[in-house]
PDB file of all heavy atoms in Angstrom:
ATOM      1  N   LEU A  57       3.349  20.608  57.817  1.00  0.00           N
ATOM      2  CA  LEU A  57       2.396  20.839  56.735  1.00  0.00           C
ATOM      3  C   LEU A  57       1.047  21.147  57.364  1.00  0.00           C
ATOM      4  O   LEU A  57       0.468  20.302  58.055  1.00  0.00           O
ATOM      5  CB  LEU A  57       2.271  19.602  55.831  1.00  0.00           C
ATOM      6  CG  LEU A  57       3.323  19.457  54.735  1.00  0.00           C
ATOM      7  CD1 LEU A  57       4.707  19.294  55.303  1.00  0.00           C
ATOM      8  CD2 LEU A  57       2.979  18.317  53.822  1.00  0.00           C
ATOM      9  N   THR A  66      -6.862  23.416  59.971  1.00  0.00           N
ATOM     10  CA  THR A  66      -7.659  22.296  60.458  1.00  0.00           C
ATOM     11  C   THR A  66      -6.811  21.126  60.921  1.00  0.00           C
ATOM     12  O   THR A  66      -7.265  20.314  61.709  1.00  0.00           O
ATOM     13  CB  THR A  66      -8.627  21.792  59.365  1.00  0.00           C
ATOM     14  OG1 THR A  66      -7.867  21.367  58.238  1.00  0.00           O
ATOM     15  CG2 THR A  66      -9.602  22.879  58.965  1.00  0.00           C
ATOM     16  N   GLU A  67      -5.579  21.027  60.413  1.00  0.00           N
ATOM     17  CA  GLU A  67      -4.731  19.885  60.746  1.00  0.00           C
ATOM     18  C   GLU A  67      -3.274  20.226  60.467  1.00  0.00           C
ATOM     19  O   GLU A  67      -2.972  21.027  59.587  1.00  0.00           O
ATOM     20  CB  GLU A  67      -5.148  18.686  59.895  1.00  0.00           C
ATOM     21  CG  GLU A  67      -4.380  17.421  60.188  1.00  0.00           C
ATOM     22  CD  GLU A  67      -4.898  16.245  59.385  1.00  0.00           C
ATOM     23  OE1 GLU A  67      -4.486  16.104  58.215  1.00  0.00           O
ATOM     24  OE2 GLU A  67      -5.709  15.485  59.928  1.00  0.00           O
ATOM     25  N   LYS A  68      -2.374  19.585  61.232  1.00  0.00           N
ATOM     26  CA  LYS A  68      -0.940  19.726  60.982  1.00  0.00           C
ATOM     27  C   LYS A  68      -0.333  18.329  60.913  1.00  0.00           C
ATOM     28  O   LYS A  68      -0.673  17.458  61.720  1.00  0.00           O
ATOM     29  CB  LYS A  68      -0.255  20.518  62.098  1.00  0.00           C
ATOM     30  CG  LYS A  68      -0.616  21.978  62.108  1.00  0.00           C
ATOM     31  CD  LYS A  68       0.157  22.725  63.158  1.00  0.00           C
ATOM     32  CE  LYS A  68      -0.219  24.205  63.113  1.00  0.00           C
ATOM     33  NZ  LYS A  68       0.556  24.995  64.057  1.00  0.00           N
ATOM     34  N   GLU A  69       0.548  18.144  59.923  1.00  0.00           N
ATOM     35  CA  GLU A  69       1.301  16.910  59.799  1.00  0.00           C
ATOM     36  C   GLU A  69       2.779  17.267  59.858  1.00  0.00           C
ATOM     37  O   GLU A  69       3.208  18.257  59.260  1.00  0.00           O
ATOM     38  CB  GLU A  69       0.989  16.194  58.485  1.00  0.00           C
ATOM     39  CG  GLU A  69      -0.422  15.673  58.408  1.00  0.00           C
ATOM     40  CD  GLU A  69      -0.705  14.906  57.130  1.00  0.00           C
ATOM     41  OE1 GLU A  69       0.169  14.850  56.234  1.00  0.00           O
ATOM     42  OE2 GLU A  69      -1.807  14.357  57.023  1.00  0.00           O
ATOM     43  N   TYR A  70       3.546  16.473  60.572  1.00  0.00           N
ATOM     44  CA  TYR A  70       4.980  16.686  60.727  1.00  0.00           C
ATOM     45  C   TYR A  70       5.669  15.618  59.888  1.00  0.00           C
ATOM     46  O   TYR A  70       5.637  14.438  60.236  1.00  0.00           O
ATOM     47  CB  TYR A  70       5.365  16.599  62.202  1.00  0.00           C
ATOM     48  CG  TYR A  70       4.714  17.686  63.027  1.00  0.00           C
ATOM     49  CD1 TYR A  70       3.341  17.649  63.327  1.00  0.00           C
ATOM     50  CD2 TYR A  70       5.449  18.769  63.489  1.00  0.00           C
ATOM     51  CE1 TYR A  70       2.739  18.651  64.068  1.00  0.00           C
ATOM     52  CE2 TYR A  70       4.856  19.779  64.238  1.00  0.00           C
ATOM     53  CZ  TYR A  70       3.494  19.713  64.516  1.00  0.00           C
ATOM     54  OH  TYR A  70       2.903  20.714  65.247  1.00  0.00           O
ATOM     55  N   MET A  80       5.399  10.422  57.985  1.00  0.00           N
ATOM     56  CA  MET A  80       4.746  11.315  58.933  1.00  0.00           C
ATOM     57  C   MET A  80       5.086  10.830  60.340  1.00  0.00           C
ATOM     58  O   MET A  80       4.870   9.664  60.667  1.00  0.00           O
ATOM     59  CB  MET A  80       3.228  11.319  58.711  1.00  0.00           C
ATOM     60  CG  MET A  80       2.503  12.238  59.670  1.00  0.00           C
ATOM     61  SD  MET A  80       0.759  12.479  59.270  1.00  0.00           S
ATOM     62  CE  MET A  80       0.150  10.817  59.183  1.00  0.00           C
ATOM     63  N   ARG A  82       4.229  12.873  63.229  1.00  0.00           N
ATOM     64  CA  ARG A  82       3.260  13.438  64.182  1.00  0.00           C
ATOM     65  C   ARG A  82       2.099  14.028  63.396  1.00  0.00           C
ATOM     66  O   ARG A  82       2.274  14.508  62.284  1.00  0.00           O
ATOM     67  CB  ARG A  82       3.934  14.526  65.018  1.00  0.00           C
ATOM     68  CG  ARG A  82       3.009  15.255  65.974  1.00  0.00           C
ATOM     69  CD  ARG A  82       3.733  16.328  66.765  1.00  0.00           C
ATOM     70  NE  ARG A  82       4.595  15.695  67.746  1.00  0.00           N
ATOM     71  CZ  ARG A  82       5.633  16.294  68.333  1.00  0.00           C
ATOM     72  NH1 ARG A  82       5.947  17.542  68.031  1.00  0.00           N
ATOM     73  NH2 ARG A  82       6.366  15.651  69.218  1.00  0.00           N
ATOM     74  N   GLN A  83       0.926  14.026  64.026  1.00  0.00           N
ATOM     75  CA  GLN A  83      -0.260  14.618  63.423  1.00  0.00           C
ATOM     76  C   GLN A  83      -1.050  15.332  64.525  1.00  0.00           C
ATOM     77  O   GLN A  83      -1.196  14.796  65.628  1.00  0.00           O
ATOM     78  CB  GLN A  83      -1.110  13.512  62.782  1.00  0.00           C
ATOM     79  CG  GLN A  83      -2.254  13.994  61.950  1.00  0.00           C
ATOM     80  CD  GLN A  83      -2.907  12.815  61.215  1.00  0.00           C
ATOM     81  OE1 GLN A  83      -2.837  11.670  61.635  1.00  0.00           O
ATOM     82  NE2 GLN A  83      -3.547  13.113  60.107  1.00  0.00           N
ATOM     83  N   ALA A  84      -1.523  16.529  64.217  1.00  0.00           N
ATOM     84  CA  ALA A  84      -2.312  17.291  65.172  1.00  0.00           C
ATOM     85  C   ALA A  84      -3.592  17.746  64.495  1.00  0.00           C
ATOM     86  O   ALA A  84      -3.553  18.321  63.407  1.00  0.00           O
ATOM     87  CB  ALA A  84      -1.526  18.499  65.673  1.00  0.00           C
ATOM     88  N   SER A  85      -4.714  17.447  65.138  1.00  0.00           N
ATOM     89  CA  SER A  85      -6.019  17.850  64.615  1.00  0.00           C
ATOM     90  C   SER A  85      -6.853  18.322  65.797  1.00  0.00           C
ATOM     91  O   SER A  85      -7.175  17.520  66.684  1.00  0.00           O
ATOM     92  CB  SER A  85      -6.681  16.657  63.917  1.00  0.00           C
ATOM     93  OG  SER A  85      -7.907  17.035  63.363  1.00  0.00           O
ATOM     94  N   GLY A  86      -7.157  19.608  65.814  1.00  0.00           N
ATOM     95  CA  GLY A  86      -7.878  20.162  66.966  1.00  0.00           C
ATOM     96  C   GLY A  86      -7.033  19.985  68.213  1.00  0.00           C
ATOM     97  O   GLY A  86      -5.855  20.321  68.233  1.00  0.00           O
ATOM     98  N   ASP A  87      -7.608  19.385  69.266  1.00  0.00           N
ATOM     99  CA  ASP A  87      -6.853  19.173  70.498  1.00  0.00           C
ATOM    100  C   ASP A  87      -6.223  17.775  70.557  1.00  0.00           C
ATOM    101  O   ASP A  87      -5.648  17.390  71.561  1.00  0.00           O
ATOM    102  CB  ASP A  87      -7.731  19.422  71.723  1.00  0.00           C
ATOM    103  CG  ASP A  87      -8.946  18.504  71.778  1.00  0.00           C
ATOM    104  OD1 ASP A  87      -9.168  17.731  70.817  1.00  0.00           O
ATOM    105  OD2 ASP A  87      -9.680  18.567  72.782  1.00  0.00           O
ATOM    106  N   ARG A  88      -6.352  17.016  69.460  1.00  0.00           N
ATOM    107  CA  ARG A  88      -5.785  15.664  69.418  1.00  0.00           C
ATOM    108  C   ARG A  88      -4.399  15.684  68.771  1.00  0.00           C
ATOM    109  O   ARG A  88      -4.234  16.152  67.649  1.00  0.00           O
ATOM    110  CB  ARG A  88      -6.701  14.713  68.636  1.00  0.00           C
ATOM    111  CG  ARG A  88      -6.229  13.269  68.690  1.00  0.00           C
ATOM    112  CD  ARG A  88      -7.179  12.356  68.014  1.00  0.00           C
ATOM    113  NE  ARG A  88      -6.922  12.423  66.575  1.00  0.00           N
ATOM    114  CZ  ARG A  88      -7.601  11.765  65.667  1.00  0.00           C
ATOM    115  NH1 ARG A  88      -8.617  11.033  66.018  1.00  0.00           N
ATOM    116  NH2 ARG A  88      -7.292  11.862  64.397  1.00  0.00           N
ATOM    117  N   LEU A  89      -3.400  15.185  69.507  1.00  0.00           N
ATOM    118  CA  LEU A  89      -2.025  15.117  69.019  1.00  0.00           C
ATOM    119  C   LEU A  89      -1.611  13.652  69.021  1.00  0.00           C
ATOM    120  O   LEU A  89      -1.748  12.966  70.030  1.00  0.00           O
ATOM    121  CB  LEU A  89      -1.087  15.920  69.922  1.00  0.00           C
ATOM    122  CG  LEU A  89       0.383  15.901  69.553  1.00  0.00           C
ATOM    123  CD1 LEU A  89       0.620  16.676  68.262  1.00  0.00           C
ATOM    124  CD2 LEU A  89       1.212  16.484  70.676  1.00  0.00           C
ATOM    125  N   THR A  90      -1.126  13.169  67.884  1.00  0.00           N
ATOM    126  CA  THR A  90      -0.673  11.785  67.774  1.00  0.00           C
ATOM    127  C   THR A  90       0.777  11.765  67.355  1.00  0.00           C
ATOM    128  O   THR A  90       1.133  12.290  66.305  1.00  0.00           O
ATOM    129  CB  THR A  90      -1.521  10.997  66.738  1.00  0.00           C
ATOM    130  OG1 THR A  90      -2.898  11.051  67.112  1.00  0.00           O
ATOM    131  CG2 THR A  90      -1.067   9.554  66.651  1.00  0.00           C
ATOM    132  N   TYR A  92       3.651   9.236  66.269  1.00  0.00           N
ATOM    133  CA  TYR A  92       3.744   7.876  65.759  1.00  0.00           C
ATOM    134  C   TYR A  92       5.058   7.254  66.199  1.00  0.00           C
ATOM    135  O   TYR A  92       6.123   7.680  65.757  1.00  0.00           O
ATOM    136  CB  TYR A  92       3.624   7.876  64.232  1.00  0.00           C
ATOM    137  CG  TYR A  92       2.258   8.341  63.772  1.00  0.00           C
ATOM    138  CD1 TYR A  92       2.076   9.605  63.231  1.00  0.00           C
ATOM    139  CD2 TYR A  92       1.157   7.518  63.913  1.00  0.00           C
ATOM    140  CE1 TYR A  92       0.822  10.028  62.829  1.00  0.00           C
ATOM    141  CE2 TYR A  92      -0.107   7.938  63.515  1.00  0.00           C
ATOM    142  CZ  TYR A  92      -0.258   9.193  62.971  1.00  0.00           C
ATOM    143  OH  TYR A  92      -1.512   9.617  62.584  1.00  0.00           O
TER     144      TYR A  92
END
Side-chain angles (χ1 to χ4, degrees):
L57 276 63
T66 60
E67 182 176 83
K68 290 184 179 183
E69 293 183 355
Y70 297 73
M80 180 170 54
R82 176 180 288 160
Q83 189 172 25
S85 182
D87 60 355
R88 186 176 81 182
L89 178 70
T90 303
Y92 295 105

